[in-house]
Every structure is written in structure tokens, then in C-alpha cells.
Amino acid sequence: MKGIVTEIQRFSLKDGPGIRTTVFLKGCNMACKWCHNPETLSMGRELMRHPEHCISCGACISACRHGAMASGRDGGVAFSRDKCVSCGACADGCFTGALAMSGTEMGVDDVMREVMQDADYYRNSGGGITISGGEAMCQPEFADALLRAARDAGVSTAIETNMLADWNVYERLLPALDLVMLDIKLACDSEHRRWTGAGNARVLANAAKIAGRIPTIIRTPIIPGVNDSAEAISPIASFIKGLGGKVEYYELLLYNPLGEGKYRALGMEHLFSGAKPAGEERQALLRKVAEGAGVPVRIG
Ligand code: SF4
Ligand code: SF4
């Protein structure tokens, strides 16, 4: 069983309890306009360009058989993304890091070899493996196989998910899953559709089904001008309250501006360029509203 992985992040402290290894899978069934991992949105491998590292050696021009790389007027390299077929030949020959492919095909054993390097840390800290993305459920068989391999190896398991997949995808994972961290980004269906490209009816229905079956954390990424208001957070808190204490805690995730360079590297427009995470005063306001959920609130 093989999957497409964008990154394996060891010693992660933000993707669940304890010290964890987070495996980021490629592909997403939403397209949140603020996504800080835009390289995970599409299923296929993609070329990322960092022109600031280019020394104009021309190796990529020779390597490209598709006419996507050419000599630029300024003596540098002119890139035509519309001609690029993501073969990776140019990145293989670029030794400065100016070109890199996002997405590596890996087997379950390959991933587990990396994951098991930190097995002692998981035991001592209460950590484990977290499968994230993109959207982990866009590669459901691979995610399932990884969770089962981790469970067999005695490693605690978690997923981060937008909860949009069919319920039977989640149901199949439950026997090997210790924790789900799910996002509710907006309570209003039309606003959810506007900002993520998908409605939220299935998200909410799945969240209600999974809470109580396994330990569940609900999270909302706080995006400036989208949902950083009492009006946006209050109905999500009410939804969580309606789940009747089946949620471990409600976490407000501050906007992460680190994705900006990735948008540039992929030649994508970033709608939230220059946006800042909520300041202390707004955090305090949102925490107060979130406490209406009747569960502990964290800001991360
Ligand atoms: S191979 Fe890398 S460093 Fe050389 S010209 Fe191409 S992008 Fe620049
Ligand atoms: S990934 Fe392949 S097609 Fe795209 S620019 Fe590089 S060599 Fe050319």
C-alpha cells in the first residue's frame, strides 16, 4: 500500500497530546482560502520554486524535456507552469534548493520506519502518530493502513480532519483510532461554502456521530475577517454544547501566516497575504464566547 506524502514532521507538539510525528498526506476535498499548506491541496506531485536560491546555472533548462524552463531575459530562468507536467527532472538536478517537488510516494513501511524512530518519546510523553493533510481522508486506504500499522506497533493514533468525507470512511477507521481532531470552520452553510468550497451539513452530521465514539477535539481556525467574531464562534460553541459533553475540549487555532512563501513557490494567489493572527484582546473575547460550549477551551 502506497500513498503520496508531502512531509513527515517529527517532534510535533501541536497536533495532539504529547510528542508526535505528523504525517501530511497530499490532496484535499476542501479549498480553504486561508490554507497554510497549499502544496497539499491537489492530489498530484507539484513543482515548488524558490527563485531566491537560484544561481542561474541552467541545469533545469537542460533537464526539462517539456519546454517549461527557458533562459530568461534577465539571465535567469523563465518558467512556464502551463507547460510543466510535474515530472521532477529539473528538481533532481537542482542542488541549490531552488526547485523541489512536493509529494513523495511512500509505502506504509517507509512511513512507519520514520515514525518508530521516536517510539520512546511517544511512550514517555503520551504522544503518537497524527495523520494530517491536506485532508487525511482523501487517501482513505493509505490512512487506514497507516493507523493499523501504528496500532500494531503500540503507537497511539490520531487524525486531523475536516470531517467532509462519507461517514463510512470514518467508521472504517474507528477500530484503529485513539483520537480525532476535527475542524468546524464556520457554522453557516453558505459562508462555509464561500470560504472552503464545500457546505458544512455533512461536517456537522459526521462530527455529531463521531463524538462519543472516540475521544474528540473540535477546533476552529480563527481567520481574520472570516470567523474572528463572537457572531461566528457563538453558533459553533452552541453546536458543541448540543453534543452533551462528548468533546474533550474546544480549541481556537490562531491564524498561521507561514504558508505565504508556499503560495509564491506554487505560483498561487494568497488572499490572506499580510494577515495577522488575532491579538490578545480578540483572543480573550473569543475565548469568552467559546466557553459557551461547556467544555474546556484552549487557544493554540
Ligand atoms: S538548476 Fe536550480 S539553481 Fe540552476 S538555474 Fe535551475 S533553478 Fe536555478
Ligand atoms: S517538473 Fe518536469 S516538466 Fe516541470 S519544469 Fe521540471 S522538468 Fe520541466
Side-chain angles (χ1 to χ4, degrees):
M1 169 68 61
K2 286 187 185 284
I4 308 282
V5 177
T6 57
E7 190 184 354
I8 298 179
Q9 191 177 311
R10 293 169 62 188
F11 299 104
S12 168
L13 297 171
K14 290 205 153 193
D15 300 316
I19 296 171
R20 311 192 71 83
T21 294
T22 306
V23 182
F24 294 89
L25 304 187
K26 207 157 177 359
C28 191
N29 49 7
M30 288 187 189
C32 302
K33 291 191 164 62
W34 55 81
C35 180
H36 66 274
N37 287 328
E39 78 282 15
T40 63
L41 291 176
S42 80
M43 282 303 296
R45 298 173 77 224
E46 283 169 284
L47 181 64
M48 298 183 80
R49 296 175 66 241
H50 306 279
E52 65 277 17
H53 297 308
C54 176
I55 56 169
S56 302
C57 68
C60 55
I61 300 172
S62 310
C64 183
R65 297 277 172 264
H66 302 273
M69 296 285 188
S71 297
R73 285 196 189 137
D74 57 358
V77 177
F79 173 59
S80 307
R81 193 168 282 278
D82 55 329
K83 294 181 183 162
C84 176
V85 299
S86 299
C87 69
C90 57
D92 289 345
C94 179
F95 297 106
T96 67
L99 300 173
M101 294 304 290
S102 170
T104 306
E105 192 176 82
M106 296 182 81
V108 171
D109 291 349
D110 303 324
V111 175
M112 286 306 297
R113 245 190 310 281
E114 284 207 37
V115 169
M116 293 312 289
Q117 290 184 48
D118 298 325
D120 289 345
Y121 291 105
Y122 311 145
R123 264 191 294 278
N124 296 333
S125 70
I129 182 176
T130 299
I131 304 186
S132 184
E135 168 50 46
M137 297 305 103
C138 283
Q139 298 186 53
E141 286 86 13
F142 187 58
D144 186 34
L146 271 180
L147 292 174
R148 287 172 195 271
R151 173 62 67 84
D152 289 348
V155 173
S156 181
T157 60
I159 58 168
E160 292 180 324
T161 175
N162 62 24
M163 225 61 212
L164 184 63
D166 284 340
W167 169 249
N168 59 20
V169 170
Y170 293 102
E171 195 165 37
R172 181 172 153 196
L173 300 184
L174 289 177
L177 195 53
D178 296 316
L179 173 70
V180 64
M181 290 169 276
L182 67 92
D183 276 11
I184 297 179
K185 301 167 201 291
L186 286 153
C188 168
D189 182 68
S190 61
E191 282 292 291
H192 196 280
R193 195 176 296 278
R194 172 183 171 203
W195 290 106
T196 74
N200 67 1
R202 197 191 292 159
V203 172
L204 298 176
N206 283 342
K209 275 186 193 164
I210 209 163
R213 302 278 295 269
I214 59 166
T216 298
I217 295 166
I218 294 185
R219 308 188 303 184
T220 300
I222 300 300
I223 311 302
V226 175
N227 61 1
D228 59 343
S229 64
E231 292 72 26
I233 297 305
S234 177
I236 300 176
S238 297
F239 172 81
I240 296 171
K241 192 170 188 181
L243 297 178
K246 294 176 184 162
V247 173
E248 305 285 306
Y249 58 85
Y250 179 30
E251 186 168 24
L252 304 177
L253 298 172
L254 296 178
Y255 172 72
N256 182 344
L258 292 179
E260 289 198 12
K262 296 181 184 179
Y263 279 84
R264 275 195 299 277
L266 290 162
M268 291 167 67
E269 186 196 1
H270 186 24
L271 211 60
F272 288 86
S273 180
K276 301 266 185 301
E280 280 182 17
E281 207 173 304
R282 187 157 292 258
Q283 286 181 37
L285 166 75
L286 298 180
R287 175 188 284 278
K288 201 168 160 205
V289 175
E291 279 167 354
V295 294
V297 172
R298 297 188 188 181
I299 296 189

